[in-house]
Amino acid sequence: MEKQFKINFEAIESYDHLDAIEKTLFDKAMQIRDLAYAPYSDFTVGCAILLENGEIITGSNQENAAYPSGLCAERTTIFYTGANFPEVKIKKLFVIGAPRKATSSIPIPPCGACRQSILEYEAKQKDDIEIYFASLGGEIYKTKSIRELLPFSFDASYL
Ligand code: THU
């Protein structure tokens, strides 16, 4: 029998359709993206995380001459958050990535390894994390939880 997963996401038309907090997350992700250390791919990614106490944590991708030693923006940011604010819930994660010199782009979603890492923090805090991934032009895709982006996910319940 063939079965399907249905993935729910919201397509937000433009920056103007964001609320004030979302606009701040977009702006901060864009700003930190400029500081990405990505000399090998020249693909720069910025991430902004909103905590339940209102604090915003930002990060960018960090590459390495030994390529696999580098790390995506999402994991750089969420690991820093987990290390420094282990008791504070994460409400939203906003990511924007594109080639450094690009002037337009499409919304680029978190890679598989980042989805798995984000899932771990959802499980840890027993609460959803809203995921936003944005284009340079302002079109944004939003999911209510990382589970929408990671069907058949592996978690601690299998251990
Ligand atoms: N990258 C991210 O930072 N996040 C993703 O979800 C996908 C890829 C980074 C890793 C590498 O530095 C560059 O983008 C090209 O893959």
Side-chain angles (χ1 to χ4, degrees):
M1 192 208 299
E2 196 172 304
K3 297 185 176 186
Q4 287 93 29
F5 271 113
K6 189 171 160 230
I7 291 171
N8 298 296
F9 70 100
E10 185 185 343
I12 301 170
E13 234 172 86
S14 72
Y15 182 85
D16 293 341
H17 289 76
L18 297 174
D19 68 23
I21 285 176
E22 292 168 335
K23 281 183 177 146
T24 303
L25 291 170
F26 187 108
D27 295 346
K28 287 194 177 276
M30 281 288 269
Q31 283 160 15
I32 202 81
R33 178 176 164 253
D34 280 343
L35 303 182
Y37 179 60
Y40 304 106
S41 72
D42 230 20
F43 187 90
T44 51
V45 186
C47 179
I49 283 178
L50 176 70
L51 302 181
E52 69 175 348
N53 63 10
E55 196 154 347
I56 293 173
I57 313 300
T58 58
S60 61
N61 52 330
Q62 299 295 311
E63 296 188 349
N64 194 285
Y67 289 7
S69 299
L71 201 63
C72 291
E74 298 91 317
R75 277 176 290 160
T76 302
T77 312
I78 207 162
F79 290 161
Y80 178 88
T81 303
N84 287 280
F85 308 96
E87 306 303 333
V88 187
K89 279 189 183 176
I90 296 167
K91 301 299 285 180
K92 297 173 189 284
L93 183 149
F94 202 107
V95 62
I96 182 158
R100 187 185 296 280
K101 295 197 172 70
T103 50
S104 68
S105 71
I106 55 170
I108 292 171
C111 80
C114 287
R115 295 178 199 200
Q116 185 69 30
S117 298
I118 297 165
L119 180 73
E120 186 71 24
Y121 289 92
E122 271 201 3
K124 178 180 174 234
Q125 69 181 28
K126 298 186 181 64
D127 214 344
D128 291 347
I129 299 173
E130 291 179 325
I131 310 296
Y132 298 72
F133 43 105
S135 68
L136 293 175
E139 191 188 8
I140 298 136
Y141 292 169
K142 174 188 175 185
T143 65
K144 290 197 163 82
S145 158
I146 194 66
R147 289 190 309 282
E148 296 290 346
L149 298 177
L150 200 60
F152 278 131
S153 51
F154 180 84
D155 61 28
S157 68
Y158 298 116
L159 296 175

